[in-house]
Amino acid sequence: MSNPEPSTPASPLSPALVSLLVEVAGAPPGWARQVTPDARLDGDLLLDEGELAELADRLRGRFGPAADLAALRAGLDLAALEALTVADVQRLIPEECAR
């Protein structure tokens, strides 16, 4: 049995990413507390397809073509789509832009 990725401490979330998630979700005050690295976009944050499409557009607009959520999602099967987390999205953001 092998782990696909070694366990490493999660880096702090990009405030810009959290802000984008709050905006696309149209979330009430305090919702940002739910945005953690392990929060699943679908299962925990309850983002629908329209919100995910808007998030993809905003990520590319804010962070450039490397932040391509649509391409990431296109390569995933249903189980992986359901398991997609905020940390997975943060990995799309170039490190110099994540702060």
Side-chain angles (χ1 to χ4, degrees):
M1 175 158 67
S2 66
N3 292 333
E5 293 181 28
S7 180
T8 58
S11 58
L13 287 177
S14 161
L17 174 57
V18 174
S19 178
L20 285 177
L21 285 162
V22 169
E23 289 172 20
V24 300
W31 184 84
R33 288 189 299 268
Q34 296 180 50
V35 180
T36 64
D38 294 332
R40 294 169 298 154
L41 300 180
D42 180 24
D44 298 317
L45 301 181
L46 305 176
L47 298 180
D48 63 28
E49 285 300 316
E51 292 163 337
L52 289 167
E54 184 176 347
L55 178 61
D57 287 344
R58 289 187 184 212
L59 284 168
R60 286 180 59 98
R62 172 78 166 83
F63 301 111
D68 194 347
L69 179 59
L72 171 65
R73 292 183 73 231
L76 301 177
D77 64 17
L78 183 57
L81 284 170
E82 291 173 349
L84 194 65
T85 66
V86 174
D88 295 327
V89 175
Q90 177 150 306
R91 282 192 279 280
L92 295 173
I93 300 171
E95 192 171 316
E96 65 275 6
C97 298
R99 298 179 193 113

